[in-house]
Amino acid sequence: MKIAFNFSESRVRIDAWSKQRELEKILIGHLIKMVPAHRRHFRILAGSVPGYRVRDVPAADLPRVAKSLAYHLVTAEGDGTWRTVDKVSAYENALIQNDLLALVVEGVSYRDASRIGKALDQLDGYLGAIQVQSTSEAHFEFYIEPLPHRYRLHESSLWLLHDAEADPAVVGEDHRDHEWRQNLARQFMHGPIERVEFQSIGMRDSIFDPYRGFDYAEAEGHAEAMLIAYHGAMVDDLLIRLREADPQLVQALHAAFEALDQHDSVEQRSHVALSSRRFLERLANVLYPPIENAEGGRKLGKAQYRNRLWKYAEERLEADDRAKVVLASLQQVGGRIDALDKAANKGVHDDVEVYEMHRLVMGVFLLAHDLLTLKSPDGRAAGPYVAKIEKEMLELLKKASAE
C-alpha cells in the first residue's frame, strides 16, 4: 500500500535550508518510532507534485482546473480511496501555486499511516494523507511516475537510494550526498537504527526500464487490491468463527499479536510463545474438549492440546483432503513454539528468533483458520462460552430476586 503525506511547502514553518529534507527526516523518525522493526520495510518517494497541468492554464480557468484535479487526486476518480485530507481548498491552492510537496511511503498500513498522520498534523502546512492508487492515471502521473525514490527503511537499516547517475561504480565519480547521510546517521543511530548507508537502484524507473509505465502500475494495483480482498475475507471469516465459538479466542489471538508487536526484551519475547500457546489451548478446548481416559494410547487430556488438535484434524481426513495440509501446519507451528520457548528461556535474541516470532504468530493465525474451516459453521457456542453465559444469567436472576 502507498500513502502520500501532503504538504503546502511554503506554509511549513521549519527553519532549515531544505524543508523537504527536514520533513523527510521527521517522517522517517515517526516510522521508526511507531512501527516495530519486524514490520518495517518501506520505500519512500519524495518531491514536489508536478503542477504542469495547471501551469499553462489561462488565469480565468485556473480555479476550475485545479478543483477538478484536486477531486481526481483526493478521490482517485471515485475508487473509494482512503484519505485524511480535509483541507481541500488548501490542497487546490497548493496545486495552483505549484507548492504541493508529497512524501509517499510504500508498504505502510492504514493503522500506521493514521498514527503518523496525527503526529504530522502538528506541523503547519500539513494537508493530510491520501492512499495512492496505482490504478488511477491521475495518481500515477502525480505521485508515482515523477517522484524519485529517496529511502528504504528495512528493519534496523536505513538506506539512501540513488540511481546509476550517482553511482561511482558506473560514472567513476561519487555524486552521493555524504553530508546528508552523516546527518541522518547522527539523528537515528543512537536509537534502534544500526546503520545508515547508500543503496543503488541502478536503472530501475529510468527511461530504459520497461516496467515503469502506467500499464504495469495498473496491474500491480489490481494485484494489491485482490490480495487485500482475499486476505481480508479470510480475516473476517476467522473472526466470525472465533466470536461464535468463544469470544475469548479473539482476546487470546489479540494477545499473541500484541506480544509480537511490542517485543523488545527477553520477557516480552517469551510472551509471544506463551500467548500463541494459550490461544491454541483454548482453540483445542473448543474443537476437541479434553478426554482424561482416551482410548488408543494417545493422551487427550487438558495438557495435551496439540494431540487434541491433531485428533480433530485426523478425524476429518476422510471427509476433507485439506486436513492433510492442516496436520503439516500443526507440526510446524508446534515446532516454532518449542524453538521460541527454548530461545527465550536462554535469553537469546537474534535475527532468526525475530523471524521465528513473526512466522509463529502468522502460522497460528493460518492454522486456526484451516482448523475452523474443516467444518461448516453451525453457530454453536463452545462449552466454556455457554458456561459463562449461564453464570451471568444466574447472577442476574439472583440480583433480581434479592431486589
Side-chain angles (χ1 to χ4, degrees):
M1 186 176 300
K2 304 178 184 72
I3 302 292
F5 299 93
N6 299 276
F7 300 84
S8 174
E9 188 170 10
S10 63
R11 293 172 53 200
V12 175
R13 296 178 183 176
I14 293 178
D15 186 15
W17 69 272
S18 171
K19 292 181 181 179
Q20 177 180 322
R21 285 195 165 182
E22 195 62 28
L23 289 171
E24 290 170 0
K25 186 160 61 173
I26 290 170
L27 176 64
I28 291 169
H30 289 318
L31 287 168
I32 293 170
K33 180 181 179 181
M34 297 182 184
V35 183
H38 70 275
R39 287 203 289 111
R40 282 191 217 127
H41 189 188
F42 310 118
R43 289 192 307 176
I44 300 173
L45 298 78
S48 297
V49 173
Y52 63 87
R53 284 195 177 183
V54 296
R55 195 175 298 143
D56 300 324
V57 173
D61 295 334
L62 200 53
R64 177 182 56 79
V65 173
K67 186 173 184 177
S68 175
L69 273 175
Y71 169 79
H72 288 302
L73 290 171
V74 172
T75 66
E77 298 168 340
D79 285 340
T81 303
W82 176 88
R83 60 189 180 274
T84 62
V85 171
D86 57 2
K87 307 164 187 174
V88 179
S89 60
Y91 191 89
E92 292 174 15
N93 290 335
L95 281 173
I96 292 172
Q97 298 169 14
N98 202 23
D99 185 42
L100 187 59
L101 174 65
L103 308 183
V104 179
V105 182
E106 296 182 355
V108 68
S109 68
Y110 293 134
R111 179 173 178 264
D112 293 327
S114 295
R115 296 168 63 204
I116 291 167
K118 288 180 181 177
L120 292 174
D121 210 28
Q122 307 303 313
L123 294 171
D124 290 327
Y126 178 62
L127 303 177
I130 298 174
Q131 178 189 356
V132 177
Q133 298 277 17
S134 299
T135 55
S136 163
E137 287 192 70
H139 277 196
F140 179 77
E141 292 180 7
F142 276 75
Y143 286 120
I144 300 177
E145 184 179 40
L147 300 186
H149 285 86
R150 297 278 291 150
Y151 307 96
R152 181 194 303 277
L153 179 58
H154 179 240
E155 296 181 353
S156 58
S157 297
L158 175 62
W159 305 92
L160 282 72
L161 304 179
H162 61 84
D163 58 21
E165 292 182 1
D167 193 337
V170 176
V171 298
E173 298 180 19
D174 194 345
H175 298 299
R176 298 172 298 182
D177 195 337
H178 290 271
E179 184 178 351
W180 182 240
R181 187 197 69 79
Q182 292 168 1
N183 184 309
L184 293 172
R186 287 193 298 269
Q187 177 78 21
F188 298 120
M189 285 188 65
H190 299 292
I193 298 300
E194 297 174 358
R195 61 176 174 173
V196 179
E197 301 292 347
F198 292 109
Q199 187 177 79
S200 174
I201 64 172
M203 303 300 290
R204 195 179 71 236
D205 297 326
S206 72
I207 60 172
F208 304 105
D209 186 348
Y211 299 107
R212 67 186 293 266
F214 175 66
D215 288 345
Y216 177 76
E218 187 178 31
E220 180 185 0
H222 285 308
E224 178 188 45
M226 286 187 286
L227 283 169
I228 292 172
Y230 277 98
H231 187 265
M234 182 187 294
V235 170
D236 291 338
D237 181 44
L238 176 62
L239 289 174
I240 289 172
R241 292 172 185 268
L242 293 179
R243 282 196 302 267
E244 288 187 343
D246 185 354
Q248 285 194 315
L249 282 168
V250 179
Q251 295 177 326
L253 186 62
H254 171 260
F257 276 101
E258 191 76 10
L260 175 64
D261 220 35
Q262 297 182 2
H263 72 272
D264 58 6
S265 68
V266 173
E267 292 77 14
Q268 287 176 323
R269 291 194 297 274
S270 67
H271 288 166
V272 176
L274 178 62
S275 298
S276 299
R277 184 166 61 248
R278 284 176 175 169
F279 172 78
L280 291 178
E281 288 172 351
R282 187 168 291 278
L283 183 63
N285 293 342
V286 168
L287 297 178
Y288 205 100
I291 301 174
E292 294 304 330
N293 299 311
E295 299 178 0
R298 180 184 290 170
K299 293 183 178 180
L300 299 172
K302 184 175 181 180
Q304 289 79 40
Y305 71 94
R306 281 193 228 173
N307 284 356
R308 289 186 281 126
L309 291 174
W310 192 279
K311 183 70 173 175
Y312 173 81
E314 270 187 338
E315 290 184 355
R316 282 155 180 78
L317 279 173
E318 294 183 4
D320 196 332
D321 288 339
R322 292 177 299 171
K324 296 178 183 178
V325 178
V326 174
L327 291 175
S329 298
L330 179 58
Q331 189 169 10
Q332 290 175 353
V333 169
R336 288 194 177 105
I337 288 176
D338 291 342
L340 193 53
D341 263 341
K342 184 177 180 181
N345 290 335
K346 290 183 177 180
V348 176
H349 183 209
D350 54 29
D351 291 340
V352 174
E353 185 194 342
V354 173
Y355 173 78
E356 282 296 321
M357 282 191 291
H358 186 265
R359 295 294 297 168
L360 169 61
V361 177
M362 293 307 299
V364 165
F365 162 77
L366 293 172
L367 174 62
H369 185 264
D370 288 344
L371 285 165
L372 286 165
T373 53
L374 286 178
K375 67 173 184 177
S376 298
D378 54 19
R380 294 180 185 175
Y385 187 16
V386 172
K388 281 184 174 293
I389 293 174
E390 291 175 347
K391 183 179 179 181
E392 288 291 323
M393 290 174 60
L394 288 173
E395 291 293 331
L396 288 172
L397 288 171
K398 287 179 181 178
K399 187 176 179 180
S401 299
E403 294 175 351

